[in-house]
Amino acid sequence: MEAFFYLFNILIAVYLFIDAKKHNKNKWLWAILGLIFSFVTLGIYWILTGKKVLGWVLTIAALIWMILGVIGVVAVGLFKAFN
């Protein structure tokens, strides 16, 4: 399962590296950010390059997913602490 996470990050980084040149953006910066922050970076990139609706949808969905993940980790930790 982790392999898919890393694969998505690599694919997003490659996409950003290639596409950033077309929009006169720093390709290395966007590729590194895409490798680290994946979908959030892709959403912000799309917002800045004109795909605003798709970018906002992806950014908000990715942030909600991350927040739910943090809440889940905290909930599991609290559950284990009280049992």
Side-chain angles (χ1 to χ4, degrees):
M1 194 65 180
E2 288 182 28
F4 287 117
F5 173 74
Y6 295 125
L7 180 65
F8 276 123
N9 284 5
I10 291 169
L11 290 175
I12 289 170
V14 169
Y15 168 77
L16 290 171
F17 185 82
I18 293 170
D19 198 61
K21 286 191 275 187
K22 298 175 188 174
H23 297 283
N24 294 323
K25 305 283 184 194
N26 186 335
K27 61 185 178 183
W28 287 105
L29 172 68
W30 284 104
I32 291 169
L33 289 174
L35 193 60
I36 297 169
F37 299 110
S38 69
F39 290 106
V40 174
T41 303
L42 183 60
I44 292 169
Y45 177 79
W46 281 345
I47 291 168
L48 295 175
T49 57
K51 298 179 184 176
K52 293 191 184 305
V53 174
L54 185 59
W56 278 112
V57 169
L58 184 61
T59 303
I60 291 169
L63 289 174
I64 289 171
W65 186 257
M66 290 160 77
I67 290 168
L68 289 175
V70 169
I71 290 171
V73 168
V74 170
V76 168
L78 288 174
F79 181 74
K80 287 184 178 182
F82 289 121
N83 281 331

